[in-house]
Amino acid sequence: MTEKQIIECVPNFSEGRDQAVIDAISEAVRGVSGVRLLDVDPGPSTNRTVYTFVGSPAAIVEAALAAARTAHRLIDMTRHSGSHPRMGALDVCPFIPVCGVTVAECVKVAKEFGRRLAGELDVPVFLYGDAADKGDHRKTMPQIRAGEYESLEKKLQDPQWQPDFGPSAFVPRWGATVTGVRKFLIAYNINLIATKEQAHRIALNLRTQGRGNGEVGRLQNCQAIGWYLEERNMAQISINLTDFDVTPIHVAYEEALKDAAALNVPITGSEIVGLVPLRSLLQAADYYIDREGLFILEEEHKLQLVINRLGLSQLAPFVPKERIIEYCLAEGDPSLRSVGPLGRGSVAALVRGVAARTAAPGGGSVAAAVAALGSALGAMVGQLTYGKRQWEEHDAAMRSAIAPLHRAAFELLPAIDNDTIAFSKYMSASRQSASTASEEALKEAAVAQAAIETVLVPLGVMRSIDAVWPQLAKVAALGNINCRSDVQVGARCLETGAWGAFYNVSINLDNVIDESQRLLFSSEAETLLKKAQDGCRHVLSIVENRIA
């Protein structure tokens, strides 16, 4: 199965007040086949609108060009003013790899867009980020945009600032555009009841460059500025987090809280501009769960916690399905985005597929499904124990047991489809035609790799099962005794899943060419099966001793 190629494009246009212009650009994007417009976020004070859309490499370029053509017709930079730094009608147009594409492929996309934009509209275009190749002095947006639109005419006369594409001449109505490739940039605003000066003072303390006098700020990969929103009668610290793994959202928020408290000004919440990666919010959830000693399992509940702690719905409701990029791209239940159609479908559909006259889905998929149910039963019994007064002395033990069982249940679901996919890849590789020696070598390599995948999927199921026996034993020993049959069924399901996965490892080992790999896989599978048998016997004996 070939992974779909998806690139995100987040162009910033210098118009945030004229709804007709904003809508016209939106319609231009929507008019391109193969592209989904995910978000449109205008700002009257900044006089800027951020668009977010996704599509294939070819489609994303066409959509960005369509939006730019519309902006070229409707936006006049000679009349523009706003609180956000800017240098052009289409100020910046970054491309971000989402799935199935590399940074290098996105660089090609950005350069194609820049070349075509300059050629069609006769405007200057600069490259930044991973696409920049004319020196370190023009890698980042602050470097390129320094002086903004007002100094652009003079800047273009400097040999150091010749555009990558298009004319060096100043185009008054347009200005200049910057395009390139970057990681997910999180545009994040923190709301204060304060003055613009107080907000900016905090921003200077936080941002990486500090006050620009050699004294750096506290946060890395952080750009920040303070401004005042007249239409909302409040100040904001406007932050760009250019690497949220280095400086996560919650870190920026908590650091701003410290400075605001020192100035005796209140922070009343925050907002995310455009879309945000799910992982960045789950980072924040883990932080608050750990800090406050909370017990939260479901992804939905973790997101509710973050929305509350960061005040993300103060200015407008934060709707996860509309604001988290993985949710926007997911079909069906977003919490099952990594699960294929078999695992996501109904039990009846899975049974029907297994019962059909086809080799897949087969025993490997069934083994994964049964194991997932076994782990889920353990989590269920734990949750029917936790928080109940008669077993409250075991709350801590249940908290430690439930989370791994719950996690394993959902981690096993993708294997239902992955087993079928691995089998199909092996069969497809085996059927490749090869009329030359080089083609035969390529076929042999593809078959060998596919054979290993058919072993790794069921072996992964066995590893997941092995990890939860201690937790299931804890539930068996301390959990709600009225649910003992559920623990017993869960143990048998996990053991059956291990047996089913073992059988699939064994039969697929015949196709693995490398003898040393065969021996390693076989040894591990036999060890995991023995541990599953012992684990099941141990759990059942615990239950039996409790009711004896």
Side-chain angles (χ1 to χ4, degrees), residues 14 75-80 86-89 149 172-175:
S14 295
I75 296 176
D76 183 355
M77 286 300 294
T78 65
R79 298 185 294 175
H80 183 273
R86 79 284 182 270
M87 64 187 291
Y149 172 82
R173 281 182 58 90
W174 183 265

Side-chain angles (χ1 to χ4, degrees), residues 188-254:
Y188 180 56
N189 298 331
I190 298 175
N191 309 323
L192 307 90
I193 300 175
T195 66
K196 172 185 174 180
E197 290 73 22
Q198 288 170 319
H200 192 57
R201 180 175 169 185
I202 297 173
L204 294 175
N205 292 339
L206 300 183
R207 69 185 189 182
T208 305
Q209 71 182 90
R211 287 171 165 74
N213 57 2
E215 180 184 341
V216 298
R218 295 205 303 273
L219 303 181
Q220 295 301 306
N221 297 94
C222 174
Q223 302 163 353
I225 189 173
W227 57 37
Y228 199 84
L229 301 182
E230 296 292 345
E231 71 273 12
R232 290 174 173 169
N233 193 25
M234 64 185 298
Q236 279 189 331
I237 307 164
S238 177
I239 298 173
N240 282 343
L241 298 173
T242 57
D243 190 336
F244 66 84
D245 286 318
V246 176
T247 298
I249 293 175
H250 64 274
V251 170
Y253 186 75
E254 293 296 323

Side-chain angles (χ1 to χ4, degrees), residues 1-7 55-57 98-101 329 331:
M1 181 182 290
T2 303
E3 187 178 18
K4 183 183 292 186
Q5 289 188 304
I6 299 177
I7 294 175
S56 66
V98 175
C99 67
V101 290
L329 296 175
E331 297 177 2

Side-chain angles (χ1 to χ4, degrees), residues 305-456:
L305 175 71
V306 173
I307 292 168
N308 175 270
R309 294 298 185 268
L310 299 181
L312 292 177
S313 289
Q314 184 214 351
L315 300 181
F318 184 92
V319 182
K321 289 184 179 181
E322 298 174 0
R323 304 300 303 282
I324 298 173
I325 189 164
E326 290 89 344
Y327 282 22
C328 291
L329 296 175
E331 297 177 2
D333 185 345
S335 68
L336 301 178
R337 61 197 165 276
S338 63
V339 182
L342 289 173
R344 234 187 292 130
S346 67
V347 174
L350 178 61
V351 171
R352 188 177 295 111
V354 172
R357 193 189 294 268
T358 57
S365 295
V366 171
V370 170
L373 288 170
S375 195
L377 280 168
M380 180 196 82
V381 176
Q383 295 204 70
L384 290 174
T385 307
Y386 174 74
K388 291 187 179 292
R389 183 179 294 277
Q390 65 197 106
W391 293 295
E392 64 183 353
E393 63 184 301
H394 302 312
D395 275 0
M398 288 301 101
R399 285 173 67 148
S400 68
I402 293 167
L405 286 163
H406 186 273
R407 183 168 58 249
F410 286 90
E411 287 177 350
L412 283 160
L413 286 178
I416 298 172
D417 288 85
N418 291 344
D419 188 83
T420 298
I421 292 168
F423 175 78
S424 299
K425 280 185 177 179
Y426 177 78
M427 295 304 296
S428 177
S430 301
R431 292 169 183 153
Q432 285 181 16
S433 60
S435 56
T436 66
S438 61
E439 288 178 348
E440 184 63 35
L442 289 173
K443 176 180 178 179
E444 288 178 3
V447 170
Q449 181 58 42
I452 290 173
E453 289 184 33
T454 64
V455 173
L456 288 177

